[in-house]
Amino acid sequence: MRSKYTYDESGVTFFYYALTILSLVVAPATVYLLFGKKNSQEAARPKTVKLRLRKPKAKSSAVNIKLALIAVGWVLIFLLSYKVKTTEVKEAKMWDPYEILGIDNGESEEVITRAYRKLSLKWHPDKVSQDMKEEAGEKMAEINRAHKTLTNPEARENYEKYGNPDGMQTQSMGIALPKLLVEAHTSPFVLMLYGLVFGFVMPFYVGRWWYNSTRYQKDHILNPTMSTFFKNIREHISQRNLIELLTAASEFAEDDLKYRPSEEAVLKLLVEKIRRVSQVYAYDVFSISKKFTSKDAWKANVLLHAHFFRIKVDDVELADQQQQVVMTALTLVHRGLLQISTTHNWFACSILLMNISQMLVQGVYCYDAPLIQLPGITWQNQPQIFKEKKLYSVHQLMRLPAAEQRQALSVLGDKQFEEAIRAAKAIPRLEIARVLLTVVGDKVITPASIVTLIVKVRIANAPNKIEPRGKGVAVADIEDIDDNDTAAIEDFVSNFAEREKGVKRTPTEAYCPYFAGRKDSQWWLSFANYQSGKLVVPPVRISDLVSERVVVLQFQAPPQKETYRFHLTIKSDSYIGSDVMQEVQMTVVDRSVLPPEPPVVDDISEPEEDSIAAQMAQMRGQQMGARRGNDDSSDEE
């Protein structure tokens, strides 16, 4: 069957096609623009008190362009809908000889002839009036064709096979494009449009995507930044040098954060303020980095230290850049420097980086008293509180009776005191409920065995003590399992993943008034060898600790028989003074103390004499004996 392609002359099918494509694009884009972005912005909006806020972003031109395009899209959809509704669609009618003769399908030739004669008498041109002769002629031609089709065997067979008495016909297929697109006078414009889209627009966007993707690592950190971090980070490095290395990131040389000569005076004034504060309240005086001397790194270093010492930046534009620098630095610590440090199993360096994370979130300098996280507590009155009341940490304050709390914070007014106590209640007090080191199935730990570390942590002052449960199997609480109950421990470990499946925990927002964005409270669990100072396993990030959580880790035991000491450390990424550390001992003993393996029971019995297996075994034995006899005789010869 030959095919014939025709373009849409009336434009009806093109209207349907265009309406469908436009609806598939415009409708989802509208839903996303109205609701999707709004929900994500609502989730990212902080709910806690903020003393530092970023400047509201002006609506970008890209958003306005998107709105304009969506508006144009809806206008086109309404216009096309109107055209589809008002345009008359001519439906192709199938030619049916039975319908023309007014009979049912499959009637006999006698019935067909009778119907034909009856219609001939009615529509023959000689039997009608003069004004109906033309219509009668057309009707009679159809009646004759229908009669011939149904009475001629060959014509009837063609009709039944192909739907046409003349046999196979050319199949006409319509293309939902107006003929205007392929006409000679419009072809130059169509070619220009194709050239613009495929020769300029598409290569431009693909090239821009490729350029941006090659600039960044998978964690969205610039490649030059990671290169700088790799070259300069060391296992034994000071916290001050880590901060300087952080400011050398290429992100701070981008257009929105790079140094501008017009900012020189404001930055120098900030340097003087930072030096004065650091001389009085810090362990070391702020100074400019001698290793990373670029103006961009200097600017980032000044803004970060102004954040650590809570020095207000009066310039609105620079203050907004400072908060952006802080947020960028936090990402670089978590996804860049800390990732490199943990890959090398550097415990001390990793702990320092976790401390920097706390400094960035709370806006404090290293070794500051945890009490300074509370509203109203400053570098000026905190030393006085410590001197008079010996009060250093938030948890110390919360262990006091209410009357003594008010007396301890007598430097604060009544309203400030209420705010401070409210903030202190929000700061989590972590405790390690259970630590267990075991080899699943054994009561002792042997050299090179796979050791399972089970740690249960809880927030003692969590407002909600009910831990969400998953839909998995019920598992006993690790606190109720005895150290020597190997069966219960094995059951706990094997079903732990199933129990955690489907558990949904919503992380709590950290109280961090000097951090402009929303920050969820998260924790790092580190397990390090005391003697070597190396991490045994990479730190586990606990991002959903609401009330309590169990963490299960595995590592290989050392090959030597000895008692080993480990540091189990759980550090907050948001609060100072909430970290906990516990020393854990592990004794590795010789394999000989393990109970002997149970003997393997051989359930394979000898075959019965009259079975096929026994007969085959007997035949094999005779053949082997015959071979052996032949070999012996040949040896004698």
Side-chain angles (χ1 to χ4, degrees), residues 168-396:
M168 187 184 298
Q169 301 294 308
T170 301
Q171 184 179 10
S172 179
M173 301 178 68
I175 299 175
L177 290 175
K179 196 174 182 180
L180 180 69
L181 293 178
V182 294
E183 289 180 345
H185 66 278
T186 59
S187 57
F189 300 102
V190 174
L191 288 174
M192 284 175 61
L193 179 63
Y194 284 162
L196 181 66
V197 172
F198 294 104
F200 177 74
V201 177
M202 189 176 290
F204 172 76
Y205 282 103
V206 170
R208 191 171 72 168
W209 167 81
W210 178 254
Y211 173 72
N212 289 331
S213 63
T214 53
R215 289 183 69 211
Y216 290 92
Q217 298 270 341
K218 63 175 183 177
D219 293 317
H220 207 68
I221 296 177
L222 288 169
N223 285 318
T225 297
M226 290 301 287
S227 177
T228 303
F229 289 170
F230 267 110
K231 290 176 183 177
N232 294 279
I233 193 170
R234 298 290 182 269
E235 180 177 5
H236 303 291
I237 186 173
S238 68
Q239 194 155 287
R240 180 172 182 165
N241 289 339
L242 279 173
I243 295 172
E244 290 180 358
L245 175 58
L246 180 62
T247 61
S250 299
E251 277 77 359
F252 301 129
E254 294 290 289
D255 290 337
D256 50 349
L257 294 177
K258 68 180 182 180
Y259 167 82
R260 295 174 180 83
S262 59
E263 301 165 342
E264 181 83 17
V266 181
L267 290 171
K268 283 185 176 180
L269 186 61
L270 276 176
V271 169
E272 292 302 319
K273 291 181 180 179
I274 294 169
R275 279 179 178 160
R276 285 199 298 269
V277 174
S278 64
Q279 284 174 349
V280 179
Y281 302 109
Y283 284 91
D284 52 355
V285 180
F286 172 73
S287 61
I288 306 302
S289 174
K290 295 179 180 178
K291 186 172 185 179
F292 305 104
T293 57
S294 71
K295 285 290 187 178
D296 299 316
W298 173 69
K299 175 184 174 180
N301 200 5
V302 171
L303 292 179
L304 280 181
H305 279 82
H307 174 71
F308 293 149
F309 290 109
R310 298 182 177 179
I311 297 172
K312 188 176 180 181
V313 180
D314 296 323
D315 186 274
V316 177
E317 189 66 32
L318 206 58
D320 186 66
Q321 291 182 32
Q322 181 194 37
Q323 291 304 316
Q324 190 175 347
V325 166
V326 171
M327 293 180 181
T328 304
L330 189 65
T331 302
L332 294 173
V333 169
H334 288 182
R335 300 181 182 178
L337 288 169
L338 193 57
Q339 189 178 38
I340 298 170
S341 179
T342 55
T343 302
H344 288 91
N345 296 325
W346 295 339
F347 176 63
C349 182
S350 300
I351 292 296
L352 291 179
L353 288 167
M354 295 174 191
N355 291 339
I356 293 174
S357 173
Q358 298 173 357
M359 293 162 55
L360 289 167
V361 174
Q362 289 298 330
V364 296
Y365 200 56
C366 51
Y367 313 118
D368 278 338
L371 205 63
I372 207 169
Q373 297 172 107
L374 302 182
I377 307 297
T378 63
W379 281 284
Q380 288 80 13
N381 58 26
Q382 187 276 325
Q384 180 184 346
I385 296 171
F386 179 73
K387 184 178 180 181
E388 295 177 358
K389 310 297 181 183
K390 302 300 179 187
L391 200 61
Y392 181 76
S393 71
V394 176
H395 304 317
Q396 266 184 289

Side-chain angles (χ1 to χ4, degrees), residues 500-519:
E500 290 293 304
K501 190 183 297 181
V503 176
K504 292 183 179 179
R505 303 179 179 92
T506 304
T508 56
E509 184 182 353
Y511 174 79
C512 45
Y514 289 91
F515 188 81
R518 178 189 171 95
K519 178 68 183 70

